[in-house]
Amino acid sequence: MTTPLIELKNIRKSYGGGDSPQVDVLRGIDLSIHAGEFVAIVGASGSGKSTLMNTIGGLDSDFEGAILYEGKNLRDFSQKEMVNYHKKSIGFIFQNFNLIPHLDLIDNVSIAMTLSNADEKTRRGRAKELLTQVGLKDHMHKKPDQLSGGQKQRVAIARALANDPDVIIADEPTGALDADTTDVILNMIRDIAASGKLVLMVTHSDKVASHCSRVLRIDQGQIVSDQEQKPLEI
Ligand code: ADP
Ligand code: MG
């Protein structure tokens, strides 16, 4: 296979210690993941899935071991490289959408591009393009609370794609959606991986995981199985 986009080497993380009891949340995670993979991360609540995603996404730097992005250790990133990693390499999608309630959809998406060099007009133009792509052309001037759950998640997908990142991290993106809406959102996320990005998706559902090209099972902070499935059709 090609060079991994991201490699994890013996990632460990604990909470507590000292006076409070120590909880080992990640217990030696080794992993190589590649562009174009659609990876499901499955495991019981509390098994460490979100912690692992936040660590990979650079939201949490308090861990042991190494994360390599395109072969470079995140710890060796300059401050500027780390900002770029957050804003341009990784796009996040969350279960509860994390939209900004007082902004309309265009601003909710274009705000993700504030660190890009593009001017306001270009950013708004790209936001409109992305919202159209996710099927929200006629809703762009609405606020999030005027949308259904599925529509909110479409906005979040548009926002995650705003800077054309190489990696999408989706933490239970369908967790708050009904079955029909889950299928629609899942197909959209799958298409993102089929377009060549690396997609990591946390899910509770084996049915959801069955749509992915690879399934990692996590139990108590360790990868207990790593299954290749059918590659994505492009
Ligand atoms: P998952 O996403 O698989 O449900 P998490 O990664 O959110 O699991 O949490 C893994 C474990 O880490 C849980 O036992 C949780 O209670 C613990 N944990 C998460 N965040 C903290 C924190 N800030 N302080 C202490 N323990 C935490
Ligand atoms: Mg979680």
Side-chain angles (χ1 to χ4, degrees):
M1 236 187 191
T2 48
T3 324
L5 183 56
I6 298 179
E7 274 182 278
L8 309 188
K9 294 185 188 281
N10 198 16
I11 302 298
R12 295 175 176 274
K13 180 176 177 72
S14 307
Y15 287 109
D19 291 340
S20 49
Q22 182 174 316
V23 185
D24 298 327
V25 179
L26 299 177
R27 300 189 302 147
I29 305 259
D30 289 294
L31 184 63
S32 295
I33 37 186
H34 302 79
E37 282 192 296
F38 185 16
V39 185
I41 293 97
V42 186
S45 179
S47 56
K49 305 180 299 294
S50 293
T51 306
L52 182 63
M53 293 306 104
N54 293 342
T55 306
I56 293 173
L59 301 179
D60 183 347
S61 58
D62 182 17
F63 61 88
E64 286 167 45
I67 298 181
L68 310 185
Y69 182 74
E70 294 180 327
K72 189 166 179 189
N73 195 326
L74 292 195
R75 289 195 207 285
D76 298 333
F77 277 22
S78 67
Q79 208 173 349
K80 184 162 174 240
E81 283 174 316
M82 203 62 209
V83 169
N84 277 334
Y85 184 70
H86 282 146
K87 295 287 172 183
K88 298 192 183 147
S89 302
I90 313 267
F92 269 97
I93 301 169
F94 300 96
Q95 177 171 1
N96 295 318
F97 324 118
N98 288 16
L99 303 176
I100 301 173
H102 64 271
L103 298 182
D104 72 7
L105 305 194
I106 298 170
D107 284 337
N108 261 288
V109 175
S110 65
I111 200 166
M113 293 175 264
T114 39
L115 284 180
S116 75
N117 292 325
D119 60 26
E120 162 100 20
K121 186 159 170 269
T122 310
R123 293 200 303 255
R124 289 182 65 84
R126 170 137 174 94
K128 289 179 193 172
E129 232 172 73
L130 286 161
L131 287 163
T132 304
Q133 256 179 49
V134 298
L136 294 174
K137 189 176 194 306
D138 299 331
H139 303 274
M140 294 197 281
H141 297 285
K142 290 186 178 170
K143 303 263 170 74
D145 70 1
Q146 295 172 278
L147 302 180
S148 68
Q151 289 173 325
K152 285 182 199 169
Q153 201 57 301
R154 289 168 189 244
V155 180
I157 290 171
R159 180 187 56 192
L161 293 172
N163 296 309
D164 195 21
D166 295 323
V167 184
I168 295 285
I169 294 179
D171 195 345
E172 307 207 32
T174 60
L177 305 178
D178 62 47
D180 287 347
T181 313
T182 289
D183 284 345
V184 174
I185 294 298
L186 205 55
N187 280 330
M188 293 180 81
I189 295 176
R190 196 185 145 88
D191 285 345
I192 297 171
S195 80
K197 296 186 193 296
L198 166 62
V199 178
L200 303 173
M201 180 176 71
V202 173
T203 178
H204 268 108
S205 158
D206 285 326
K207 182 162 176 275
V208 167
S210 71
H211 290 83
C212 297
S213 64
R214 183 173 173 187
V215 181
L216 297 177
R217 289 181 194 276
I218 307 241
D219 187 34
Q220 298 182 28
Q222 290 183 312
I223 295 177
V224 292
S225 91
D226 180 354
Q227 262 180 305
E228 291 285 339
Q229 307 199 126
K230 217 168 42 139
L232 300 178
E233 285 154 25
I234 299 175

